[in-house]
Amino acid sequence: MKARSFKKFFVSIALSAVLTLSSASSVFAATAQLVPAEQSVELTQSDDSDAPAIESSDAQNACASLTAQPGIRQTAASENSVTIQWNPVTNASKYAVNISPLSSSSYRFLGYIGNTHNKAKINKLKAGTAYVIKITALNSSGIAISSRTVGCTTLYSKVKIKSSYASTGRYTFNMQTVNPSNSITGYKVVYQSSAAHKLITKYFNTRYSFTIPISGNTFYQVKIYPYLVLGNKRYVSSTSTDRYISNVITLQKAGNTNSSMSVKWNRTAGADNYSIYIKYPGSSSFKKVKTTTSNFFTLTGMKKNTKYGIKVIANKKVKNKVWHSDSKAYNMSLV
């Protein structure tokens, strides 16, 4: 951002001072369970089963996408389960259900579903993980007569924010992409300001970035819930990724002497204190010089016709973490 002059203030003494804006600164749990959606009975893999072991890997296929063969689909999801449904197969006596991580070609046998059901829920899966479910139709002689696969995913319990920033009247979050890319449809965002305490809920049908409106000098609590749309229904994670955000603090000149300058700023609702950072002549970085509950600061020992950088950041402590407002750097000089 190009340097621009901060609003000049008239002073009553012969020496004047100016303040200007500068550039700112295991894949499965021990046991996987298979649950027919219409029944309360659960099928559990036995520990002594001779089914092949699944490769243990947390990696997803790079640039992968969830796909399904005709006649089978994912119909529901939670953070530790997926529900699938398939078209009934003529002459099928039962269906064998197998599961594999998306990143592997090795399946684990989970159990059988009788031919009176064509829908199953698989529990005890890992959050934010993609799998391939294979349904094999068997006739009364136990011979496979068809097999179909579907890529599916559990809901993410947490999501990662790649970057975020405040701009005039809004705050933008850039989200870290996930693999497969379609394992998240969008985000439910619930936020409220420390000043108004009114909950606002918005849904963003985007995987990569979203912007919420903010105003005033206040911290906002923001809760981000990833969701997945299956059919016409939105499945939202039960856990949130939380952030506390605030606008930048705007500084105003509040007087000067021949060797000092004072600045002031509006208080930020919800802030516990403010940290003042100074960039001294000859330095390439800002140094924290003070943390205060005041909204007023005086920089002393200044030399004439010399630029000093200053920025003030609001702090809010929640449990054991301190959150910070966005910052804007200014130049101070006595001329």
Side-chain angles (χ1 to χ4, degrees), residues 60-73:
Q60 306 284 3
N61 285 346
C63 302
S65 180
L66 297 175
T67 60
Q69 293 181 336
I72 189 170
R73 59 198 178 277

Side-chain angles (χ1 to χ4, degrees), residues 192-197 215-221 243-247 249 265-274 292-293 313-319 321-325:
Q192 64 177 332
S193 77
S194 297
H197 301 288
S215 62
N217 296 87
T218 179
F219 268 99
Y220 286 80
Q221 180 193 56
R243 291 289 185 273
Y244 289 83
I245 63 170
S246 179
N247 269 320
I249 289 180
W265 58 91
N266 293 329
R267 293 186 180 276
T268 298
D272 296 311
N273 50 47
Y274 306 91
T292 178
T293 57
I313 296 175
N315 306 308
K316 180 179 180 64
K317 186 174 183 179
V318 181
K319 296 181 179 178
K321 184 174 179 62
V322 178
W323 301 91
H324 309 287
S325 68

Side-chain angles (χ1 to χ4, degrees), residues 172-189:
T172 299
F173 292 89
N174 296 315
M175 308 304 293
Q176 183 168 307
T177 56
V178 296
N179 273 321
S181 59
N182 57 344
S183 57
I184 287 178
T185 304
Y187 299 95
K188 172 186 175 182
V189 181

Side-chain angles (χ1 to χ4, degrees), residues 13-303:
I13 59 177
L15 183 66
S16 64
V18 292
L19 181 67
T20 59
L21 175 66
S22 71
S23 296
S25 32
S26 84
V27 176
F28 299 95
T31 305
Q33 294 179 316
L34 182 69
V35 184
E38 298 86 352
Q39 296 180 342
S40 59
V41 178
E42 295 187 359
L43 271 172
T44 304
Q45 169 90 4
S46 300
D47 293 337
D48 58 356
S49 169
D50 59 357
I54 287 182
E55 298 173 9
S56 180
S57 172
D58 289 337
Q60 306 284 3
N61 285 346
C63 302
S65 180
L66 297 175
T67 60
Q69 293 181 336
I72 189 170
R73 59 198 178 277
Q74 182 179 1
T75 59
S78 73
E79 290 168 48
N80 56 17
S81 71
V82 297
T83 301
I84 58 169
Q85 188 170 354
W86 59 94
N87 295 344
V89 177
T90 303
N91 297 324
S93 175
K94 58 184 177 181
Y95 301 97
V97 182
N98 289 269
I99 188 170
S100 169
L102 187 66
S103 57
S104 171
S105 59
S106 180
Y107 285 90
R108 170 183 287 175
F109 173 71
L110 294 181
Y112 294 105
I113 295 288
N115 64 357
T116 58
H117 297 283
N118 66 327
K119 192 173 184 180
K121 181 179 180 182
I122 301 171
N123 290 321
K124 291 193 174 181
L125 301 178
K126 187 176 179 179
T129 305
Y131 302 90
V132 177
I133 308 296
K134 181 167 67 174
I135 301 295
T136 302
L138 307 172
N139 62 19
S140 58
S141 299
I143 298 173
I145 55 178
S146 75
S147 183
R148 286 171 284 191
T149 60
V150 57
C152 51
T153 182
T154 53
L155 298 181
Y156 280 72
S157 58
K158 292 286 183 180
V159 290
K160 294 182 179 180
I161 299 169
K162 184 165 59 176
S163 63
S164 62
Y165 58 91
S167 54
T168 305
R170 58 186 183 175
Y171 200 97
T172 299
F173 292 89
N174 296 315
M175 308 304 293
Q176 183 168 307
T177 56
V178 296
N179 273 321
S181 59
N182 57 344
S183 57
I184 287 178
T185 304
Y187 299 95
K188 172 186 175 182
V189 181
V190 181
Y191 63 104
Q192 64 177 332
S193 77
S194 297
H197 301 288
K198 179 182 178 181
L199 282 175
I200 301 171
T201 300
K202 291 183 177 293
Y203 289 90
F204 297 93
N205 189 27
T206 173
R207 304 183 185 111
Y208 309 113
S209 180
F210 59 86
T211 299
I212 60 174
I214 62 173
S215 62
N217 296 87
T218 179
F219 268 99
Y220 286 80
Q221 180 193 56
V222 182
K223 291 181 172 290
I224 303 169
Y225 301 84
Y227 69 79
L228 180 67
V229 173
L230 297 169
N232 295 319
K233 186 173 180 180
R234 183 190 292 122
Y235 293 88
V236 182
S237 174
S238 62
T239 57
S240 63
T241 297
D242 298 347
R243 291 289 185 273
Y244 289 83
I245 63 170
S246 179
N247 269 320
V248 298
I249 289 180
T250 300
L251 300 182
Q252 298 178 14
K253 181 171 169 273
N256 65 271
T257 69
N258 60 358
S259 62
S260 68
M261 181 188 289
S262 298
V263 295
K264 62 181 179 180
W265 58 91
N266 293 329
R267 293 186 180 276
T268 298
D272 296 311
N273 50 47
Y274 306 91
S275 295
I276 294 97
Y277 293 80
I278 300 295
K279 185 166 71 172
Y280 290 96
S283 175
S284 60
S285 60
F286 282 86
K287 177 183 178 181
K288 184 165 73 171
V289 297
K290 187 174 184 179
T291 296
T292 178
T293 57
S294 173
N295 62 331
F296 184 90
F297 174 75
T298 299
L299 178 61
T300 60
M302 297 176 67
K303 296 180 180 180

